[in-house]
Amino acid sequence: MDKALANLLRRFQLKMPPITEKRILKEVLDDCKEERKKLSKEEIKEKGLNIYEKQGIRVSELLNEAIKRGLVDAIYDDCGERKVSISQEGIEFLTRFYTNDFSDQYLQFEKEINQTMREHNDLELNQLHIASLFWDGFNAKDVFENYQKSEIQKEMEAYHHHLLQLNGVSDLGEKYIFHFMPKLFLPMEWFNTNAKDIVLQIKGIEAPSEMILTKPYPNTRYVVAGMKFGREKISSGFYPIIDDKEDFPEKLDITLQWSIGDYMKIIHELRINFAFADHAGSFFSSEQYLSRNSNLNEFDLITYVEKDAELWRDRNYLYHSKPGEVVIEENVTLSHFPIKLHFPSFDPDPHFRKWIRKWREHSALNVI
């Protein structure tokens, strides 16, 4: 049963919001079906892959067993649909399973990977991820080399440097950067509101003189702050702080005041704590998402108009509302990391798509 539970739990990604029961059951069935190919019946059973919808180990019963053991957390949304996520107990169970209960071989593997990352000025991996790599038979050298080959990392570093150059910054040296990307998530009844009818005023930092608001995403409930350079409109935030470590603030109070026409005002008061730690990187972002696994928390400081626990998740905030006005007080800690690891939501931005197409064409010519 432990192997079957591990095959269920490994489908859950760390730090992800709860997903529907229907989705996780389908993904587990699809995974097991794929992994059963070319295996004998004995091998299938030995690996705990005998998970099916209506025979063997029934996937729905397996999920219920995981919930019963406290390995999976379950909640019901407003529509009565059950959503699930891996619990801390589930993470610990999976880690022990992958590492053969923290065997000497695993501990040596973990030490080698972390040492390799530190030696190359890179972030260490999350322990569960290291454990899964150990279980899958990787060695430390191959893990690091695979990450070094990442085209996503090369592209993101190059694009940020492109934006910084547009801002007149060509030589960063040892300076730290704060990338700020204000976003507003409109209530459903206002999703058709034109970005021109929305105003953003920022206090606490100097906003770009050519700051613009656009709706670049397929989900038109999002409004994103960016910059304008000549005819170019860029929906990728901006860089209000670029400074040496000793001059970089440890705390910063920023107030975002969003106005939707004449009928709604949203005031988002942010207390930002910049956490300086003994790990790689000099880049902070309000969209703290990374392209690979790490020990850092991941989140996006989106301003949500609605008090919806599923949207805000575990963010540290207070919500106050009255007719025509919403006030949000939020305390957040940002962590620095290498700029190449940033994984923001730039893809829908026309400027980014144009730039990335040229970058890839240029890279392909250099390979030939």
Side-chain angles (χ1 to χ4, degrees), residues 4-170:
L5 285 168
N7 285 320
L8 168 75
L9 294 175
R10 69 186 304 170
R11 276 309 310 168
F12 290 97
Q13 298 176 23
L14 289 181
K15 307 168 187 171
M16 69 183 291
I19 61 174
T20 63
E21 179 176 356
K22 181 179 179 181
R23 174 181 161 187
I24 193 66
L25 295 182
K26 182 181 184 304
E27 290 182 357
V28 171
L29 289 172
D30 289 346
D31 275 359
C32 291
K33 181 179 179 180
E34 181 65 27
E35 293 189 38
R36 283 195 298 265
K37 291 179 179 179
K38 298 182 181 180
L39 295 180
S40 66
K41 290 183 179 180
E42 291 75 18
E43 289 172 325
I44 290 171
K45 193 171 182 180
E46 168 62 25
K47 293 178 179 290
L49 294 170
N50 53 329
I51 302 172
Y52 304 91
E53 185 176 7
K54 297 181 180 179
Q55 62 183 8
I57 299 176
R58 296 190 178 186
V59 66
S60 58
E61 294 177 358
L62 185 65
L63 178 60
N64 286 332
E65 177 65 20
I67 294 171
K68 181 180 177 181
R69 292 195 190 187
L71 307 177
V72 169
D73 292 328
I75 60 172
Y76 289 87
D77 63 17
D78 294 338
C79 299
E81 185 174 25
R82 188 161 75 167
K83 294 187 174 182
V84 290
S85 59
I86 190 168
S87 67
Q88 184 58 41
E89 290 83 356
I91 293 172
E92 292 170 1
F93 172 93
L94 200 51
T95 304
R96 289 194 303 271
F97 177 83
Y98 282 149
T99 64
N100 297 324
D101 212 6
F102 296 97
S103 66
D104 291 340
Q105 293 92 333
Y106 166 73
L107 294 176
Q108 179 61 30
F109 176 75
E110 180 184 63
K111 180 180 177 181
E112 289 176 3
I113 282 193
N114 286 335
Q115 183 176 338
T116 301
M117 291 297 178
R118 286 193 297 269
E119 287 175 351
H120 291 85
N121 198 32
D122 214 331
L123 286 186
E124 295 182 6
L125 303 177
N126 175 275
Q127 187 181 56
L128 179 57
H129 186 57
I130 297 175
S132 69
L133 293 170
F134 174 76
W135 174 257
D136 289 331
F138 284 91
N139 63 59
K141 181 181 178 182
D142 289 342
V143 170
F144 176 75
E145 288 181 351
N146 285 338
Y147 283 132
Q148 289 297 99
K149 295 175 184 177
S150 171
E151 290 300 319
I152 292 175
Q153 293 182 22
K154 295 174 185 176
E155 291 170 354
M156 190 47 57
E157 183 171 23
Y159 185 64
H160 270 301
H161 283 295
H162 166 68
L163 294 182
L164 286 163
Q165 286 177 353
L166 289 178
N167 281 272
V169 180
S170 57

